[in-house]
Amino acid sequence: MILKRLILLLFLVTPVSLAAQARVVDTEDWWLSPGVLGTLVLVVLVLAIAVLIIISRLNNYINQLNHKKQLRQKLAFSQYLVNLDQGEIDLILEERKRALKYKLSGTELGADGGAVDERGLIQNVTDEPDNPIVDEKKRVAESLETPPALKKLIIFYLGAAVFWLIFGTTVGQYLGMKFIWPELDSISWLSFGRLRPVHTNAVFWGWASLAMFGLGYFVITRTNNTNIYNPKLGWYALVLINLAVLTGTLCLMGGINNGGAEYREYTWPVMGLFAMGLITNFWNFYKTIANRRISEIYISNWYILGALLWTMVLVIIGYLPFYQNGLGETVIQGYYMHQGVGMWFMTFTLGLIYYYLPSSLNKPIYSYSLGVLAFWTQMLFYTMIGTHHFVFSPLPWWLQTVAIVFSAGMFIPVVAGTTNFLLTMKGSFHQISKSYVLPFFLVGVVFYFVGSTQGSFQAFRFTNYIWHFTDFNVAHSHMTMYGIITFMLWACIYALLPRITGKEPHQLLVGAHFWLAFIGLFAYMISLMAGGTLKGLGWVEGLPFIESVVMMKQYWVSRAIGGSLMFLSHLLFAYNFYLMVRPKTTDLNTEVKYGSGLKETPAYA
């Protein structure tokens, strides 16, 4: 009896799963699939945001032209006065004095009659007192008081992060060129198989992780109204993490790796160094929060500590030798790969945004409750979605289904978080024309919604069948790790460093950084999305693999162009970082001169 039940159970799980995976997917009306249509809508949304920012910038430029015109009119009036006699000048002055003494009676807009404003004194009218149109936030001249030891620690973390960003994306730029000129070199340690993990791991564990830690140190101390528990621990962790990335890079280029495990190509001794740095910083953060001088724990601390706890568990599970054979390794790989992005980079960065976005806008976060909802639903749904990378694989069908269901569940934290951020920005969108910090935040928030939602769409079986294992997946990964994480980190860095150093880069350089990165990313992801879709459809129709490679060449050219723009933006960012931290005593809060000789102070949110 027991044997029959076991046989029945095996029949229900394995054969049915294999039979279900052998089914043929109809691709005749592929573009009508909900996942494809949803992705198209999301791409249009990104375009709409770009148009919004461009229109805002043009409007600001037009306002500047109008301002110059008014100055010219004043100059012409002054010259006119020179030619008048004393009596005519006195009459004009008397008229102006009467105009200055004129006061509103208070009934122009509130009386029973119609609205009257004969002198044109009223410019804007609103019936939303909680959302004033004129609540512009100008750049704050004074710096935030930061202990010198903490300031130095933050700058060194961010400096190391900038170094690994330049190094990692230099490797990425070289790899992009090899797609077009595969015969570029014949050196083993410069081969694609070795350099690709060098690129991904350098920007993951070097750039993003160190930048998050550096920004996190300020958030932890600021939100808990206390000093860092032990600055020396922060320095130890900085050395350990940099040593891990440096050693891992040399090992990967020498052919020493962890096999085919994506994003965990570092061998366990190398990743052990990173884990030690992670644990050291976790203890430093935790003790700082425990020694806080206020009773409440701000939600940023939830996200930061949650990310650190999950990642310690993740690294241990990902590198344990148990269950790492055969399909067990595939299951662990899906778990590690997606948890690394979602529970480390995304969760930690969201914690940073919950502090830097409202503080930059000089207003509280819109809803603490929405933040708590987003936190706990992220903890719930993100932990089980990794297997959606292996739909139609030999893994059990029920496990794939669970991953798809939990991927759809990610709509809840994504919508909650995006709503919270956008409503926090409500009433301050006019600052887009005056600040380059806000566009970085806005693009990061929009990509948080677009990239995460598109990932849920891609988890559906049909879209996964078409897109997965094609270049579309590369576009998606850059949409998230670059569009979300990197843009948000840039926003936080530009918001923080001028406040703790008192030095700012030229607004034009920050703007050039933004547009090069945004346009480059858009060209990069659109080209690979289009090419990846055609490649997937070609495979379904039986197109030989080599023909799909030849077909992709034109899209790889677009990818290389977009990647080059992104790389140039990184060089500008590195120079901007230098301007913000350079050891000069000259005050950088100087006025920016425009071509006409007019002067305006750069406005940062």
Side-chain angles (χ1 to χ4, degrees):
M1 187 67 180
I2 297 176
L3 181 60
K4 288 182 178 180
R5 290 181 178 178
L6 288 175
I7 293 174
L8 178 61
L9 180 61
L10 290 174
F11 174 78
L12 291 175
V13 175
T14 307
V16 173
S17 299
L18 295 177
Q21 294 172 74
R23 68 180 65 174
V24 178
V25 178
D26 182 16
T27 60
E28 182 177 357
D29 296 324
W30 63 272
W31 58 277
L32 293 176
S33 166
V36 176
L37 287 176
T39 299
L40 291 174
V41 171
L42 294 173
V43 170
V44 172
L45 177 61
V46 174
L47 274 174
I49 295 299
V51 171
L52 172 66
I53 296 175
I54 291 173
I55 291 175
S56 177
R57 290 291 174 187
L58 288 175
N59 183 61
N60 186 50
Y61 178 71
I62 293 172
N63 289 337
Q64 289 184 12
L65 292 179
N66 291 334
H67 182 55
K68 295 175 184 178
K69 181 180 178 181
Q70 292 174 1
L71 289 180
R72 286 194 294 268
Q73 290 175 345
K74 291 180 180 179
L75 179 61
F77 181 70
S78 299
Q79 293 174 347
Y80 167 73
L81 289 178
V82 172
N83 299 324
L84 297 178
D85 57 32
Q86 188 61 41
E88 292 173 323
I89 294 176
D90 290 341
L91 288 176
I92 293 174
L93 291 177
E94 288 296 328
E95 185 66 26
R96 290 206 164 193
K97 287 181 181 180
R98 288 195 295 270
L100 291 174
K101 294 179 180 180
Y102 178 82
K103 294 182 179 180
L104 293 172
S105 64
T107 61
E108 285 80 5
L109 298 178
D112 296 333
V116 177
D117 183 23
E118 296 178 350
R119 294 177 179 258
L121 300 177
I122 300 172
Q123 184 176 7
N124 294 303
V125 180
T126 180
D127 56 357
E128 298 179 28
D130 293 331
N131 180 23
I133 297 176
V134 294
D135 63 340
E136 296 184 1
K137 311 295 189 302
K138 295 291 185 180
R139 172 191 164 277
V140 185
E142 64 272 18
S143 300
L144 294 174
E145 292 185 7
T146 308
L150 177 61
K151 183 190 300 184
K152 184 178 180 181
L153 184 63
I154 292 172
I155 291 175
F156 270 78
Y157 263 95
L158 296 181
V162 173
F163 169 80
W164 288 116
L165 173 67
I166 298 300
F167 171 79
T169 53
T170 300
V171 175
Q173 175 72 8
Y174 187 70
L175 291 173
M177 295 167 62
K178 294 190 76 169
F179 273 97
I180 307 173
W181 302 293
E183 70 284 355
L184 200 57
D185 66 72
S186 57
I187 304 173
S188 60
W189 51 273
L190 291 180
S191 63
F192 186 89
R194 296 191 185 184
L195 286 185
R196 196 267 178 176
V198 169
H199 162 66
T200 55
N201 285 276
V203 295
F204 273 27
W205 314 121
W207 150 245
S209 298
L210 287 172
M212 292 188 312
F213 275 130
L215 295 166
Y217 265 106
F218 185 83
V219 173
I220 291 294
T221 55
R222 195 75 177 177
T223 56
N224 293 283
N225 193 25
T226 187
N227 294 324
I228 197 68
Y229 170 67
N230 188 342
K232 289 184 178 179
L233 291 179
W235 290 105
Y236 295 151
L238 177 63
V239 172
L240 287 169
I241 295 173
N242 278 288
L243 188 60
V245 182
L246 176 61
T247 307
T249 298
L250 294 176
C251 288
L252 290 177
M253 295 183 74
I256 304 171
N257 56 60
N258 197 34
E262 190 175 15
Y263 301 151
R264 51 179 176 150
E265 291 93 350
Y266 288 170
T267 56
W268 69 262
V270 174
M271 204 58 184
L273 294 173
F274 183 87
M276 291 169 59
L278 189 79
I279 294 171
T280 302
N281 273 334
F282 166 75
W283 181 250
N284 216 8
F285 284 7
Y286 170 76
K287 291 296 290 183
T288 302
I289 297 173
N291 296 335
R292 66 189 183 278
R293 298 175 183 173
I294 56 177
S295 58
E296 299 84 2
I297 298 180
Y298 185 60
I299 194 168
S300 288
N301 300 284
W302 291 38
Y303 278 91
I304 291 173
L305 286 187
L308 287 163
L309 282 170
W310 271 110
T311 307
M312 288 190 293
V313 174
L314 174 65
V315 172
I316 293 172
I317 293 177
Y319 278 85
L320 281 177
F322 316 114
Y323 314 112
Q324 294 286 333
N325 295 319
L327 292 179
E329 184 179 15
T330 303
V331 175
I332 297 298
Q333 173 58 31
Y335 171 81
Y336 181 92
M337 178 170 50
H338 229 296
Q339 290 266 58
V341 174
M343 302 306 292
W344 173 232
F345 297 108
M346 190 69 72
T347 302
F348 199 116
T349 303
L350 288 174
L352 299 177
I353 296 302
Y354 271 99
Y355 171 78
Y356 285 105
L357 176 61
S359 66
S360 297
L361 296 173
N362 193 25
K363 59 173 67 172
I365 194 71
Y366 174 76
S367 172
Y368 198 90
S369 299
L370 274 178
V372 173
L373 172 65
F375 175 81
W376 286 113
T377 50
Q378 172 125 341
M379 297 297 109
L380 171 64
F381 290 113
Y382 223 120
T383 55
M384 294 293 291
I385 67 178
T387 313
H388 76 212
H389 285 277
F390 302 102
V391 176
F392 298 106
S393 72
L395 296 183
W397 192 257
W398 65 265
L399 185 59
Q400 301 175 34
T401 303
V402 168
I404 295 171
V405 171
F406 275 65
S407 297
M410 279 300 298
F411 285 123
I412 299 175
V414 169
V415 171
T418 305
T419 302
N420 213 5
F421 298 144
L422 291 179
L423 289 179
T424 301
M425 294 182 185
K426 182 182 178 184
S428 300
F429 285 106
H430 59 280
Q431 293 188 59
I432 292 176
S433 64
K434 301 173 182 174
S435 166
Y436 268 109
V437 174
L438 183 57
F440 278 106
F441 276 123
L442 181 60
V443 168
V445 170
V446 170
F447 268 109
Y448 173 53
F449 175 78
V450 170
S452 302
T453 304
Q454 193 278 319
S456 296
F457 285 148
Q458 193 171 335
F460 296 164
R461 283 196 169 91
F462 178 82
T463 46
N464 202 294
Y465 185 73
I466 298 296
W467 286 335
H468 210 62
F469 301 118
T470 72
D471 294 70
F472 195 103
N473 224 35
V474 181
H476 170 73
S477 63
H478 283 77
M479 188 189 306
T480 52
M481 277 302 300
Y482 196 90
I484 305 173
I485 305 301
T486 298
F487 265 86
M488 285 185 171
L489 291 177
W490 282 333
C492 296
I493 290 172
Y494 280 127
L496 173 64
L497 282 183
R499 292 172 177 263
I500 66 174
T501 66
K503 305 181 180 77
E504 288 192 11
H506 196 293
Q507 188 175 7
L508 180 63
L509 297 179
V510 184
H513 169 206
F514 172 81
W515 284 112
L516 286 173
F518 182 79
I519 295 173
L521 173 61
F522 196 80
Y524 187 103
M525 72 179 197
I526 292 299
S527 61
L528 292 188
M529 281 181 170
T533 301
L534 294 177
K535 179 187 282 189
L537 291 172
W539 289 350
V540 172
E541 296 171 0
L543 182 71
F545 179 78
I546 190 61
E547 291 188 23
S548 70
V549 174
V550 174
M551 179 269 298
M552 281 297 300
K553 183 176 181 179
Q554 58 182 324
Y555 299 101
W556 286 336
V557 171
S558 300
R559 164 197 173 130
I561 294 173
S564 299
L565 294 177
M566 294 156 68
F567 180 66
L568 288 175
S569 77
H570 303 163
L571 297 179
L572 280 176
F573 168 64
Y575 181 66
N576 290 337
F577 175 81
Y578 164 73
L579 292 180
M580 290 185 285
V581 301
R582 60 179 176 174
K584 284 189 175 182
T585 56
T586 55
D587 185 12
L588 296 183
N589 299 328
T590 55
E591 297 177 330
V592 180
K593 297 183 179 180
Y594 294 88
S596 65
L598 305 177
K599 296 181 179 181
E600 291 187 9
T601 301
Y604 285 82

